[in-house]
Amino acid sequence: MSYKTLAIIKPDAVKNNLTGQIIAKITEAGFKIKAMKMVRLTKDSAGGFYEVHKARTFYNDLVEFMTSGPCVPIALEKENAVAEFRNLIGATDPADAADGTIRKLFAASKAENAVHGSDSDENAALEISHFFSRKELLENFGA
Ligand code: ADP
Ligand code: MG
């Protein structure tokens, strides 16, 4: 079981001024913020992050969306972080997401769904390193 996951507050939520409310939900659920920044992704960076979806019909739209404005990647720590965070954000499509989940509360559509959460411990580690340098992680996570 891993203790880390990567969240991203996506450009739709940042644009709608929901960053603070979403961070509050995350911390109220017991996650600790270990690293955080606001960035505007390049096409290369967003394309690389979502490489696994390259063959999907929505890939180009997804890269377009994720580069449409700033987003807020956050490295989080909690026991069983990956599964716990997926529970907190809810289903990919907010229409299917459970009441009280972040996507149910704040997302408008399956494509523009307010938040990202890693789907495995292995991907969490890769995704955290996509956004945070060794130095930033050493400083924030400790030895
Ligand atoms: P999740 O973010 O819940 O892990 P996926 O990994 O399947 O979902 O997809 C990555 C992201 O791609 C989604 O969060 C969403 O922004 C977008 N996406 C997924 N499926 C679709 C779809 N059918 N149409 C448009 N966008 C989609
Ligand atoms: Mg996914």
Side-chain angles (χ1 to χ4, degrees), residues 108-133:
S109 69
K110 188 170 190 177
E112 305 204 358
N113 58 1
V115 277
H116 168 83
S118 307
D119 64 4
S120 67
D121 291 349
E122 187 188 6
N123 284 335
L126 286 170
E127 291 176 1
I128 288 171
S129 66
H130 187 93
F131 286 107
F132 298 102
S133 72

PDB file of all heavy atoms in Angstrom, residues 108-133:
ATOM      1  N   ALA A 108     -18.438  19.707 -14.622  1.00  0.00           N
ATOM      2  CA  ALA A 108     -19.526  19.957 -15.557  1.00  0.00           C
ATOM      3  C   ALA A 108     -19.739  18.827 -16.552  1.00  0.00           C
ATOM      4  O   ALA A 108     -20.843  18.617 -17.039  1.00  0.00           O
ATOM      5  CB  ALA A 108     -19.250  21.258 -16.316  1.00  0.00           C
ATOM      6  N   SER A 109     -18.683  18.080 -16.871  1.00  0.00           N
ATOM      7  CA  SER A 109     -18.816  17.058 -17.915  1.00  0.00           C
ATOM      8  C   SER A 109     -17.746  15.984 -17.755  1.00  0.00           C
ATOM      9  O   SER A 109     -16.793  16.161 -16.996  1.00  0.00           O
ATOM     10  CB  SER A 109     -18.679  17.689 -19.299  1.00  0.00           C
ATOM     11  OG  SER A 109     -17.334  18.114 -19.504  1.00  0.00           O
ATOM     12  N   LYS A 110     -17.892  14.916 -18.520  1.00  0.00           N
ATOM     13  CA  LYS A 110     -16.918  13.831 -18.487  1.00  0.00           C
ATOM     14  C   LYS A 110     -15.542  14.316 -18.943  1.00  0.00           C
ATOM     15  O   LYS A 110     -14.519  13.854 -18.443  1.00  0.00           O
ATOM     16  CB  LYS A 110     -17.384  12.677 -19.381  1.00  0.00           C
ATOM     17  CG  LYS A 110     -16.542  11.435 -19.273  1.00  0.00           C
ATOM     18  CD  LYS A 110     -17.185  10.249 -19.998  1.00  0.00           C
ATOM     19  CE  LYS A 110     -16.446   8.961 -19.670  1.00  0.00           C
ATOM     20  NZ  LYS A 110     -17.071   7.792 -20.294  1.00  0.00           N
ATOM     21  N   ALA A 111     -15.513  15.230 -19.892  1.00  0.00           N
ATOM     22  CA  ALA A 111     -14.234  15.733 -20.395  1.00  0.00           C
ATOM     23  C   ALA A 111     -13.638  16.753 -19.425  1.00  0.00           C
ATOM     24  O   ALA A 111     -12.448  16.706 -19.106  1.00  0.00           O
ATOM     25  CB  ALA A 111     -14.424  16.360 -21.767  1.00  0.00           C
ATOM     26  N   GLU A 112     -14.469  17.679 -18.975  1.00  0.00           N
ATOM     27  CA  GLU A 112     -13.993  18.760 -18.088  1.00  0.00           C
ATOM     28  C   GLU A 112     -14.484  18.437 -16.682  1.00  0.00           C
ATOM     29  O   GLU A 112     -15.521  18.924 -16.230  1.00  0.00           O
ATOM     30  CB  GLU A 112     -14.499  20.108 -18.612  1.00  0.00           C
ATOM     31  CG  GLU A 112     -14.089  20.307 -20.063  1.00  0.00           C
ATOM     32  CD  GLU A 112     -14.010  21.759 -20.507  1.00  0.00           C
ATOM     33  OE1 GLU A 112     -14.315  22.653 -19.690  1.00  0.00           O
ATOM     34  OE2 GLU A 112     -13.626  21.985 -21.660  1.00  0.00           O
ATOM     35  N   ASN A 113     -13.708  17.571 -16.021  1.00  0.00           N
ATOM     36  CA  ASN A 113     -14.210  16.963 -14.785  1.00  0.00           C
ATOM     37  C   ASN A 113     -13.448  17.369 -13.525  1.00  0.00           C
ATOM     38  O   ASN A 113     -13.364  16.625 -12.565  1.00  0.00           O
ATOM     39  CB  ASN A 113     -14.296  15.442 -14.950  1.00  0.00           C
ATOM     40  CG  ASN A 113     -12.957  14.831 -15.294  1.00  0.00           C
ATOM     41  OD1 ASN A 113     -11.963  15.540 -15.387  1.00  0.00           O
ATOM     42  ND2 ASN A 113     -12.924  13.521 -15.461  1.00  0.00           N
ATOM     43  N   ALA A 114     -12.897  18.568 -13.549  1.00  0.00           N
ATOM     44  CA  ALA A 114     -12.403  19.284 -12.351  1.00  0.00           C
ATOM     45  C   ALA A 114     -11.122  18.762 -11.711  1.00  0.00           C
ATOM     46  O   ALA A 114     -10.303  19.562 -11.252  1.00  0.00           O
ATOM     47  CB  ALA A 114     -13.510  19.389 -11.278  1.00  0.00           C
ATOM     48  N   VAL A 115     -10.972  17.430 -11.643  1.00  0.00           N
ATOM     49  CA  VAL A 115      -9.793  16.891 -10.949  1.00  0.00           C
ATOM     50  C   VAL A 115      -9.276  15.614 -11.594  1.00  0.00           C
ATOM     51  O   VAL A 115     -10.033  14.846 -12.192  1.00  0.00           O
ATOM     52  CB  VAL A 115     -10.084  16.562  -9.455  1.00  0.00           C
ATOM     53  CG1 VAL A 115      -9.966  17.772  -8.577  1.00  0.00           C
ATOM     54  CG2 VAL A 115     -11.429  15.875  -9.291  1.00  0.00           C
ATOM     55  N   HIS A 116      -7.979  15.417 -11.424  1.00  0.00           N
ATOM     56  CA  HIS A 116      -7.317  14.157 -11.777  1.00  0.00           C
ATOM     57  C   HIS A 116      -6.910  13.445 -10.495  1.00  0.00           C
ATOM     58  O   HIS A 116      -6.547  14.096  -9.514  1.00  0.00           O
ATOM     59  CB  HIS A 116      -6.061  14.434 -12.608  1.00  0.00           C
ATOM     60  CG  HIS A 116      -5.172  13.226 -12.756  1.00  0.00           C
ATOM     61  ND1 HIS A 116      -5.402  12.268 -13.719  1.00  0.00           N
ATOM     62  CD2 HIS A 116      -4.100  12.801 -12.031  1.00  0.00           C
ATOM     63  CE1 HIS A 116      -4.492  11.311 -13.590  1.00  0.00           C
ATOM     64  NE2 HIS A 116      -3.684  11.609 -12.576  1.00  0.00           N
ATOM     65  N   GLY A 117      -6.916  12.117 -10.522  1.00  0.00           N
ATOM     66  CA  GLY A 117      -6.315  11.323  -9.449  1.00  0.00           C
ATOM     67  C   GLY A 117      -5.611  10.125 -10.046  1.00  0.00           C
ATOM     68  O   GLY A 117      -6.156   9.465 -10.944  1.00  0.00           O
ATOM     69  N   SER A 118      -4.419   9.814  -9.557  1.00  0.00           N
ATOM     70  CA  SER A 118      -3.660   8.661 -10.059  1.00  0.00           C
ATOM     71  C   SER A 118      -4.476   7.384  -9.893  1.00  0.00           C
ATOM     72  O   SER A 118      -5.287   7.267  -8.968  1.00  0.00           O
ATOM     73  CB  SER A 118      -2.353   8.502  -9.271  1.00  0.00           C
ATOM     74  OG  SER A 118      -1.617   9.693  -9.270  1.00  0.00           O
ATOM     75  N   ASP A 119      -4.220   6.403 -10.791  1.00  0.00           N
ATOM     76  CA  ASP A 119      -5.018   5.170 -10.741  1.00  0.00           C
ATOM     77  C   ASP A 119      -4.261   3.960 -10.206  1.00  0.00           C
ATOM     78  O   ASP A 119      -4.827   2.865 -10.113  1.00  0.00           O
ATOM     79  CB  ASP A 119      -5.627   4.870 -12.109  1.00  0.00           C
ATOM     80  CG  ASP A 119      -4.577   4.578 -13.168  1.00  0.00           C
ATOM     81  OD1 ASP A 119      -3.376   4.526 -12.839  1.00  0.00           O
ATOM     82  OD2 ASP A 119      -4.968   4.407 -14.333  1.00  0.00           O
ATOM     83  N   SER A 120      -2.975   4.120  -9.858  1.00  0.00           N
ATOM     84  CA  SER A 120      -2.221   3.012  -9.263  1.00  0.00           C
ATOM     85  C   SER A 120      -1.025   3.602  -8.527  1.00  0.00           C
ATOM     86  O   SER A 120      -0.630   4.752  -8.788  1.00  0.00           O
ATOM     87  CB  SER A 120      -1.727   2.039 -10.340  1.00  0.00           C
ATOM     88  OG  SER A 120      -0.751   2.669 -11.150  1.00  0.00           O
ATOM     89  N   ASP A 121      -0.448   2.809  -7.639  1.00  0.00           N
ATOM     90  CA  ASP A 121       0.738   3.283  -6.914  1.00  0.00           C
ATOM     91  C   ASP A 121       1.877   3.592  -7.875  1.00  0.00           C
ATOM     92  O   ASP A 121       2.591   4.583  -7.716  1.00  0.00           O
ATOM     93  CB  ASP A 121       1.198   2.214  -5.910  1.00  0.00           C
ATOM     94  CG  ASP A 121       0.216   2.041  -4.762  1.00  0.00           C
ATOM     95  OD1 ASP A 121      -0.707   2.877  -4.633  1.00  0.00           O
ATOM     96  OD2 ASP A 121       0.371   1.069  -4.011  1.00  0.00           O
ATOM     97  N   GLU A 122       2.035   2.730  -8.882  1.00  0.00           N
ATOM     98  CA  GLU A 122       3.114   2.923  -9.856  1.00  0.00           C
ATOM     99  C   GLU A 122       2.917   4.235 -10.624  1.00  0.00           C
ATOM    100  O   GLU A 122       3.849   5.023 -10.790  1.00  0.00           O
ATOM    101  CB  GLU A 122       3.120   1.732 -10.823  1.00  0.00           C
ATOM    102  CG  GLU A 122       4.290   1.725 -11.769  1.00  0.00           C
ATOM    103  CD  GLU A 122       4.160   0.642 -12.843  1.00  0.00           C
ATOM    104  OE1 GLU A 122       3.092  -0.025 -12.900  1.00  0.00           O
ATOM    105  OE2 GLU A 122       5.112   0.492 -13.615  1.00  0.00           O
ATOM    106  N   ASN A 123       1.685   4.473 -11.080  1.00  0.00           N
ATOM    107  CA  ASN A 123       1.422   5.720 -11.802  1.00  0.00           C
ATOM    108  C   ASN A 123       1.513   6.941 -10.890  1.00  0.00           C
ATOM    109  O   ASN A 123       1.922   8.014 -11.330  1.00  0.00           O
ATOM    110  CB  ASN A 123       0.059   5.669 -12.501  1.00  0.00           C
ATOM    111  CG  ASN A 123       0.107   4.819 -13.755  1.00  0.00           C
ATOM    112  OD1 ASN A 123       1.168   4.648 -14.351  1.00  0.00           O
ATOM    113  ND2 ASN A 123      -1.033   4.260 -14.147  1.00  0.00           N
ATOM    114  N   ALA A 124       1.135   6.784  -9.637  1.00  0.00           N
ATOM    115  CA  ALA A 124       1.253   7.909  -8.698  1.00  0.00           C
ATOM    116  C   ALA A 124       2.706   8.372  -8.620  1.00  0.00           C
ATOM    117  O   ALA A 124       2.993   9.576  -8.697  1.00  0.00           O
ATOM    118  CB  ALA A 124       0.751   7.496  -7.318  1.00  0.00           C
ATOM    119  N   ALA A 125       3.625   7.427  -8.511  1.00  0.00           N
ATOM    120  CA  ALA A 125       5.045   7.782  -8.424  1.00  0.00           C
ATOM    121  C   ALA A 125       5.513   8.461  -9.710  1.00  0.00           C
ATOM    122  O   ALA A 125       6.198   9.491  -9.678  1.00  0.00           O
ATOM    123  CB  ALA A 125       5.872   6.531  -8.136  1.00  0.00           C
ATOM    124  N   LEU A 126       5.107   7.898 -10.860  1.00  0.00           N
ATOM    125  CA  LEU A 126       5.492   8.496 -12.147  1.00  0.00           C
ATOM    126  C   LEU A 126       4.905   9.890 -12.300  1.00  0.00           C
ATOM    127  O   LEU A 126       5.580  10.827 -12.750  1.00  0.00           O
ATOM    128  CB  LEU A 126       4.983   7.624 -13.307  1.00  0.00           C
ATOM    129  CG  LEU A 126       5.722   6.319 -13.560  1.00  0.00           C
ATOM    130  CD1 LEU A 126       4.955   5.463 -14.572  1.00  0.00           C
ATOM    131  CD2 LEU A 126       7.133   6.605 -14.065  1.00  0.00           C
ATOM    132  N   GLU A 127       3.634  10.038 -11.937  1.00  0.00           N
ATOM    133  CA  GLU A 127       2.941  11.319 -12.120  1.00  0.00           C
ATOM    134  C   GLU A 127       3.477  12.389 -11.181  1.00  0.00           C
ATOM    135  O   GLU A 127       3.584  13.559 -11.563  1.00  0.00           O
ATOM    136  CB  GLU A 127       1.434  11.116 -11.923  1.00  0.00           C
ATOM    137  CG  GLU A 127       0.815  10.301 -13.052  1.00  0.00           C
ATOM    138  CD  GLU A 127      -0.663  10.001 -12.848  1.00  0.00           C
ATOM    139  OE1 GLU A 127      -1.241  10.440 -11.829  1.00  0.00           O
ATOM    140  OE2 GLU A 127      -1.243   9.322 -13.710  1.00  0.00           O
ATOM    141  N   ILE A 128       3.822  12.008  -9.958  1.00  0.00           N
ATOM    142  CA  ILE A 128       4.417  12.994  -9.043  1.00  0.00           C
ATOM    143  C   ILE A 128       5.736  13.491  -9.628  1.00  0.00           C
ATOM    144  O   ILE A 128       6.013  14.693  -9.641  1.00  0.00           O
ATOM    145  CB  ILE A 128       4.589  12.391  -7.629  1.00  0.00           C
ATOM    146  CG1 ILE A 128       3.211  12.256  -6.957  1.00  0.00           C
ATOM    147  CG2 ILE A 128       5.503  13.271  -6.771  1.00  0.00           C
ATOM    148  CD1 ILE A 128       3.223  11.474  -5.640  1.00  0.00           C
ATOM    149  N   SER A 129       6.508  12.575 -10.205  1.00  0.00           N
ATOM    150  CA  SER A 129       7.802  12.999 -10.763  1.00  0.00           C
ATOM    151  C   SER A 129       7.637  13.781 -12.066  1.00  0.00           C
ATOM    152  O   SER A 129       8.550  14.486 -12.487  1.00  0.00           O
ATOM    153  CB  SER A 129       8.738  11.804 -10.947  1.00  0.00           C
ATOM    154  OG  SER A 129       8.229  10.938 -11.930  1.00  0.00           O
ATOM    155  N   HIS A 130       6.459  13.675 -12.698  1.00  0.00           N
ATOM    156  CA  HIS A 130       6.183  14.492 -13.891  1.00  0.00           C
ATOM    157  C   HIS A 130       6.135  15.978 -13.518  1.00  0.00           C
ATOM    158  O   HIS A 130       6.504  16.837 -14.317  1.00  0.00           O
ATOM    159  CB  HIS A 130       4.844  14.061 -14.502  1.00  0.00           C
ATOM    160  CG  HIS A 130       4.518  14.698 -15.830  1.00  0.00           C
ATOM    161  ND1 HIS A 130       4.841  14.112 -17.031  1.00  0.00           N
ATOM    162  CD2 HIS A 130       3.918  15.858 -16.133  1.00  0.00           C
ATOM    163  CE1 HIS A 130       4.438  14.893 -18.020  1.00  0.00           C
ATOM    164  NE2 HIS A 130       3.870  15.965 -17.497  1.00  0.00           N
ATOM    165  N   PHE A 131       5.671  16.281 -12.337  1.00  0.00           N
ATOM    166  CA  PHE A 131       5.442  17.678 -11.946  1.00  0.00           C
ATOM    167  C   PHE A 131       6.428  18.233 -10.936  1.00  0.00           C
ATOM    168  O   PHE A 131       6.604  19.457 -10.860  1.00  0.00           O
ATOM    169  CB  PHE A 131       4.027  17.835 -11.370  1.00  0.00           C
ATOM    170  CG  PHE A 131       2.969  17.779 -12.408  1.00  0.00           C
ATOM    171  CD1 PHE A 131       2.154  16.663 -12.524  1.00  0.00           C
ATOM    172  CD2 PHE A 131       2.796  18.820 -13.308  1.00  0.00           C
ATOM    173  CE1 PHE A 131       1.176  16.596 -13.505  1.00  0.00           C
ATOM    174  CE2 PHE A 131       1.826  18.763 -14.292  1.00  0.00           C
ATOM    175  CZ  PHE A 131       1.018  17.656 -14.391  1.00  0.00           C
ATOM    176  N   PHE A 132       7.017  17.352 -10.119  1.00  0.00           N
ATOM    177  CA  PHE A 132       7.850  17.848  -9.032  1.00  0.00           C
ATOM    178  C   PHE A 132       9.263  17.294  -9.152  1.00  0.00           C
ATOM    179  O   PHE A 132       9.452  16.094  -9.343  1.00  0.00           O
ATOM    180  CB  PHE A 132       7.226  17.489  -7.679  1.00  0.00           C
ATOM    181  CG  PHE A 132       5.869  18.114  -7.493  1.00  0.00           C
ATOM    182  CD1 PHE A 132       4.706  17.369  -7.649  1.00  0.00           C
ATOM    183  CD2 PHE A 132       5.748  19.480  -7.225  1.00  0.00           C
ATOM    184  CE1 PHE A 132       3.452  17.949  -7.523  1.00  0.00           C
ATOM    185  CE2 PHE A 132       4.495  20.078  -7.095  1.00  0.00           C
ATOM    186  CZ  PHE A 132       3.357  19.312  -7.236  1.00  0.00           C
ATOM    187  N   SER A 133      10.225  18.209  -9.066  1.00  0.00           N
ATOM    188  CA  SER A 133      11.627  17.814  -9.193  1.00  0.00           C
ATOM    189  C   SER A 133      12.078  17.038  -7.959  1.00  0.00           C
ATOM    190  O   SER A 133      11.450  17.092  -6.906  1.00  0.00           O
ATOM    191  CB  SER A 133      12.497  19.053  -9.362  1.00  0.00           C
ATOM    192  OG  SER A 133      12.553  19.748  -8.123  1.00  0.00           O
TER     193      SER A 133
END
